Amino acid sequence: MADLRFPPQLSLEDPDSTGHGGSPISADQRALMDEMQTPASPEEAPFSISLDDSATVYVATKDGVEFGGVLFDEKDDRVLLLATSILPEYRGMGLAAALTRRVLDLLHAEGKRVTVRCPVFRSFVQQHPDYAARLDRKSGRDRGC
């Protein structure tokens, strides 16, 4: 996989590390969160998503290059979205928002309960409130969305 930078891995058992008084938000995460503020392009850039079970990452590939990924943890039917990474040269093209949207759509279609700890996903949900209903609020870990 490409040299994607993810924050330290968390798990379903970890205490709340959301960036809301928890872990600080990195410059890379801030750059991706800023991309969520820009309007969506009418034509989404083509890319594919595959699941790397061994690394618990959804990997995004465009033109044969693994440009991004979403790190997650899964237990039973709950998926905890931990971190998003996009290579710097692929930022500013709407790929971060498109990857976020596709992962949420995929998990929703699979009937998974989704908990968000990733600040990039939180920013996306704040900009697209229709996705908030897809998050599992029973866990108490999605505060601030």
Side-chain angles (χ1 to χ4, degrees):
M1 191 163 106
D3 185 24
L4 301 173
R5 295 183 196 148
F6 290 106
Q9 186 167 348
L10 304 171
S11 73
L12 289 170
E13 287 76 31
D14 288 338
D16 190 17
S17 306
T18 62
H20 295 278
S23 300
I25 296 173
S26 72
D28 287 333
Q29 290 170 321
R30 175 64 57 204
L32 295 176
M33 290 168 66
D34 289 346
E35 282 191 34
M36 301 302 161
Q37 307 290 326
T38 59
S41 169
E43 271 190 48
E44 192 174 281
F47 65 92
S48 63
I49 297 176
S50 60
L51 177 60
D52 181 345
D53 282 322
S54 66
T56 59
V57 175
Y58 289 103
V59 179
T61 305
K62 179 175 174 47
D63 301 326
V65 176
E66 292 177 347
F67 70 85
V70 176
L71 183 65
F72 69 94
D73 191 15
E74 184 171 11
K75 187 173 185 178
D76 301 321
D77 69 338
R78 177 184 306 279
V79 175
L80 177 62
L81 299 172
L82 299 167
T84 302
S85 183
I86 302 286
L87 293 174
E89 58 270 27
Y90 285 85
R91 294 180 187 160
M93 296 188 263
L95 293 170
L99 176 59
T100 303
R101 181 180 303 106
R102 288 189 193 180
V103 168
L104 288 173
D105 289 346
L106 174 69
L107 294 171
H108 180 72
E110 292 177 352
K112 303 284 185 174
R113 294 182 300 154
V114 177
T115 301
V116 175
R117 290 216 184 139
C118 173
V120 176
F121 273 83
R122 287 182 181 281
S123 181
F124 178 85
V125 171
Q126 288 172 348
Q127 296 301 312
H128 303 89
D130 48 312
Y131 278 86
R134 298 183 180 192
L135 302 181
D136 183 17
R137 300 237 180 241
K138 292 178 186 169
S139 69
R141 293 184 178 147
D142 288 320
R143 293 180 300 269
C145 287

